[in-house]
C-alpha cells in the first residue's frame, strides 16, 4: 500500500468515527499569539506541549529554521494577516538546538539536487536569471543569532504596530526546555 493510500484510508476512518470533534475551534487564536518555528519533526507535538498550547490557541507558522529571511515573503505576510485579521497580539520566534539549518551548505544541497536528476543547466539558468542560490540555500552558524535576526526583522517591519511584543526563544528538541533570548516586553519597555 502506498503512503498516499495509507493516508486516505486513515482519513476516511478519522472522519467516519468523528475523531475530528476534539479539534474543532475557530480560525482565531485563543491565546492571541503567533509562533514561528522550525519544521523539524521532533517539534511537531513537543513544542506545543512545552509552550502549553492546545489546538486553536495559536497560529503556528513553520519553515526550515524558523527563519524570517525576507521582509516581504510569505512568513511576514502570514504574521501581518494573523495580527490584523485574526487578532494576534504577540509573536514568538522559536528556534531549536541541533537545527538542520545550522551550517547548511548550498553546494551540498545543489549536489544532491543533481544526484536526484536536476540538471546543471537548470541550476545555471536560475543563477544567470539572478537567483542567488548560494544565499537562498545557506543556513546559519548559530541558532541564537538566527532567532535574534528574525525577531529584529519582525520588530522593525513597517506595517506592524510598534507596541507588538516579539519574543525570541530556543527550544531543546529532546527535553522541551525553552531558553528566552529576546523578551519582547523588555524591548518595548526600553523603547518607551
Amino acid at each position: 500500500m502506498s503512503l498516499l493510500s495509507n493516508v486516505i484510508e486513515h482519513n476516511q476512518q478519522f472522519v467516519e468515527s468523528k475523531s475530528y470533534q476534539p479539534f474543532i475551534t475557530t480560525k482565531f487564536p485563543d491565546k492571541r499569539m503567533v509562533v514561528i518555528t522550525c519544521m523539524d519533526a521532533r517539534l511537531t507535538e513537543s513544542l506545543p506541549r512545552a509552550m502549553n498550547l492546545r489546538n486553536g490557541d495559536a497560529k503556528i507558522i513553520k519553515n526550515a529554521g524558523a527563519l524570517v529571511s525576507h521582509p516581504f515573503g510569505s512568513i511576514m505576510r502570514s504574521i501581518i494577516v494573523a495580527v490584523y485579521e485574526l487578532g494576534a497580539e504577540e509573536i514568538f520566534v522559536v528556534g531549536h538546538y541541533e537545527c538542520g539549518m545550522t551550517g547548511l551548505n548550498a553546494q551540498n544541497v545543489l549536489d544532491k539536487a543533481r544526484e536526484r536528476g536536476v540538471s546543471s543547466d537548470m541550476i545555471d539558468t536560475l543563477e544567470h536569471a539572478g537567483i542567488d542560490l548560494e544565499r537562498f540555500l545557506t543556513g546559519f552558524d548559530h541558532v541564537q543569532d538566527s532567532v535574534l535576526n528574525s525577531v529584529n526583522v519582525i520588530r522593525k517591519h513597517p506595517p506592524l504596530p510598534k507596541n507588538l511584543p516579539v519574543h525570541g526563544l530556543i527550544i531543546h528538541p529532546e527535553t522541551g526546555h525553552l531558553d528566552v533570548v529576546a523578551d519582547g516586553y523588555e524591548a518595548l519597555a526600553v523603547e518607551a
Side-chain angles (χ1 to χ4, degrees), residues 89-92 154-155 161-167 183-185 188:
E89 296 177 351
E90 297 195 33
I91 312 295
F92 291 76
I154 298 167
R155 282 183 182 160
K162 299 304 171 210
N163 63 347
L164 181 71
V166 182
H167 312 285
D183 183 323
Y185 307 128
L188 290 174

Side-chain angles (χ1 to χ4, degrees), residues 87-129:
E89 296 177 351
E90 297 195 33
I91 312 295
F92 291 76
V93 177
V94 185
H96 68 95
Y97 298 106
E98 303 166 13
C99 183
M101 290 294 285
T102 306
L104 183 72
N105 178 290
Q107 198 54 55
N108 289 344
V109 174
L110 294 173
D111 288 345
K112 290 175 183 175
R114 286 183 189 95
E115 289 172 14
R116 300 267 316 256
V118 176
S119 72
S120 292
D121 288 343
M122 178 57 70
I123 293 169
D124 292 343
T125 299
L126 291 171
E127 289 174 342
H128 286 105

Side-chain angles (χ1 to χ4, degrees), residues 147-182:
V147 168
L148 290 173
N149 182 61
S150 291
V151 165
N152 287 328
V153 169
I154 298 167
R155 282 183 182 160
K156 295 176 182 177
H157 206 274
L160 288 176
K162 299 304 171 210
N163 63 347
L164 181 71
V166 182
H167 312 285
L169 296 92
I170 304 173
I171 189 169
H172 191 287
E174 291 177 14
T175 67
H177 177 79
L178 291 164
D179 291 318
V180 177
V181 295

Side-chain angles (χ1 to χ4, degrees), residues 55-73:
N55 193 54
D57 282 346
K59 292 298 180 185
I60 299 179
I61 304 166
K62 293 183 172 196
N63 71 1
L67 294 170
V68 181
S69 57
H70 193 285
F72 293 97

Side-chain angles (χ1 to χ4, degrees), residues 28-29 32-33 81-90:
F28 300 99
R32 303 175 84 66
M33 63 191 286
V81 168
V83 168
Y84 292 115
E85 294 295 318
L86 303 172
E89 296 177 351
E90 297 195 33

Side-chain angles (χ1 to χ4, degrees), residues 36 43 106 122 128 191:
I36 296 95
L43 305 181
M122 178 57 70
H128 286 105
E191 293 173 8

